[in-house]
């Protein structure tokens, strides 16, 4: 069981046929055109029946967010690496000072 894990099975795909609606074949009844009136008002155009395609969402904000996140992670990594290097250099310098002082004190004690 643990050495041979089994992945879950994918759900079955639908097998029903997809029906795409087509235009109706019924005749369209149109009213006869009206004669222009004498009141000189502007006639409004008929409303468009076809809808404009829905606007697509721009992808630029998502790319900028991802790039900003990567930049933040890199900046934090650089800062932490610099701090770790500073601590390591400080520790090495303290160790060298300790060895030099020990050597000087040991040499001074042997002279007496």
């Amino acid at each position: 069981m643990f050495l041979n894990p089994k992945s879950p099975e994918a759900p079955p795909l639908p097998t029903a046929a997809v029906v795409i609606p087509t235009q109706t074949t019924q005749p369209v009844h149109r009213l006869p055109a009206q004669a222009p009136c004498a009141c000189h008002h502007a006639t409004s155009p008929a409303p468009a029946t076809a809808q404009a395609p829905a606007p697509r969402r721009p992808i630029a904000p998502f790319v900028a967010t991802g790039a900003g996140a990567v930049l933040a992670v890199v900046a934090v990594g650089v800062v932490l690496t610099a701090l770790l290097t500073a601590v390591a250099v400080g520790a090495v310098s303290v160790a060298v000072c300790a060895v030099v002082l020990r050597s000087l004190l040991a040499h001074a004690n042997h002279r007496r």
Side-chain angles (χ1 to χ4, degrees):
M1 181 83 179
F2 291 109
L3 299 177
N4 295 326
K6 294 183 180 180
S7 60
E9 295 182 20
L13 296 175
T15 56
V18 177
V19 178
I20 300 173
T22 59
Q23 290 183 333
T24 60
T25 57
Q26 297 175 351
V28 177
H29 298 289
R30 298 187 183 199
L31 298 175
Q34 296 178 346
C37 60
C39 58
H40 303 292
H41 68 314
T43 58
S44 62
T49 57
Q51 294 180 353
R56 290 188 158 184
R57 294 176 59 183
I59 196 163
F62 301 113
V63 173
T65 302
V70 169
L71 184 64
V73 169
V74 169
V76 168
V78 168
V79 169
L80 290 178
T81 303
L83 289 174
L84 181 64
T85 304
V87 169
V89 168
V92 168
S93 65
V94 167
V96 168
C97 289
V99 169
V100 169
L101 285 175
R102 182 178 175 193
S103 173
L104 289 174
L105 291 175
H107 188 65
N109 288 338
H110 286 297
R111 282 185 162 180
R112 289 186 191 186

